[in-house]
Amino acid sequence: MNSLRNKGRDNGRVSNPVAARIIADGDADRFVSYFGLERQSDPGMVRVQVPAHPSYVFLLRAFVEILMLAEDFTLDVVTDVCVALDEVAGELIDSAVRGAMVDCEFRCDAEGIVVRLGSVCETDSPLEEDGLARIALGTLTDSLRTTRVAFDTVLAGYPIVVRFSRSRLDIDNRSPG
């Protein structure tokens, strides 16, 4: 797998029928080309940046699903990561300041996947520590960490980064921890 970088094009609208067909076909190379992503030299890592808008959650989910299937993750693990991604991205987007972007980084290796999502939010805790979302994420992932930075007056919000990981092993095959 080669790493990718967004070149700043805004072609990722979910309503785009060409994009939907590329995603449905599972053609990763066409997907990369169509959305203006560029391969980089850092193998194992993919970076994507999208506007903090609910319509882009589908794009992120499709992207990570294609990536993980290409890397031979099991369907159960892919599903867990996609659901966790939906939850984290949704919470960040709901809390994002106007005009914010969601920065995503996916790193795959022989052990599993690490997902990092970040945005500038209106609140310093888009994922409540004792909330239902946090509990659900705890069952879908192996680790979950949120990094909060003090209010940034230039960005007019709180820079928040949520990082989670998931091993390649199915939940039933994971050894006790």
Side-chain angles (χ1 to χ4, degrees):
M1 177 190 72
N2 293 314
S3 184
L4 310 173
R5 172 173 65 81
N6 191 316
K7 290 169 41 178
R9 295 186 194 162
D10 189 18
N11 295 336
R13 290 181 178 80
V14 172
S15 61
N16 187 316
V18 175
R21 191 169 50 254
I22 291 170
I23 292 167
D25 291 345
D27 187 340
D29 288 333
R30 282 182 56 215
F31 184 86
V32 167
S33 173
Y34 185 80
F35 289 107
L37 300 169
E38 184 178 295
R39 295 186 185 278
Q40 290 184 351
S41 61
D42 184 8
M45 187 188 322
V46 177
R47 288 187 179 135
V48 179
Q49 186 180 61
V50 298
H53 188 274
S55 65
Y56 287 90
V57 174
F58 169 78
L59 179 65
L60 293 175
R61 182 185 178 111
F63 187 80
V64 76
E65 186 173 348
I66 290 170
L67 175 70
M68 292 180 71
L69 291 173
E71 290 293 315
D72 294 324
F73 282 85
T74 65
L75 291 177
D76 288 342
V77 173
V78 172
T79 300
D80 286 352
V81 170
C82 285
V83 171
L85 176 77
D86 285 353
E87 188 60 40
V88 172
E91 294 292 332
L92 287 174
I93 288 169
D94 286 347
S95 299
V97 299
R98 185 175 207 186
M101 302 293 283
V102 177
D103 298 307
C104 308
E105 183 178 290
F106 309 101
R107 181 178 293 279
C108 297
D109 61 23
E111 300 299 315
I113 186 169
V114 176
V115 177
R116 188 190 65 74
L117 297 155
S119 192
V120 178
C121 298
E122 293 176 344
T123 175
D124 67 346
S125 58
L127 286 171
E128 296 177 21
E129 293 297 324
D130 59 350
L132 184 59
R134 196 61 117 153
I135 295 168
L137 287 167
T139 64
L140 297 168
T141 64
D142 294 327
S143 68
L144 176 65
R145 184 178 70 215
T146 302
T147 304
R148 298 169 183 87
V149 179
F151 187 86
D152 187 315
T153 56
V154 174
L155 299 173
Y158 297 91
I160 305 288
V161 174
V162 179
R163 180 185 178 280
F164 65 87
S165 65
R166 180 66 161 83
S167 72
R168 287 184 177 268
L169 298 175
D170 289 336
I171 219 166
D172 296 333
N173 296 329
R174 288 190 237 177
S175 60

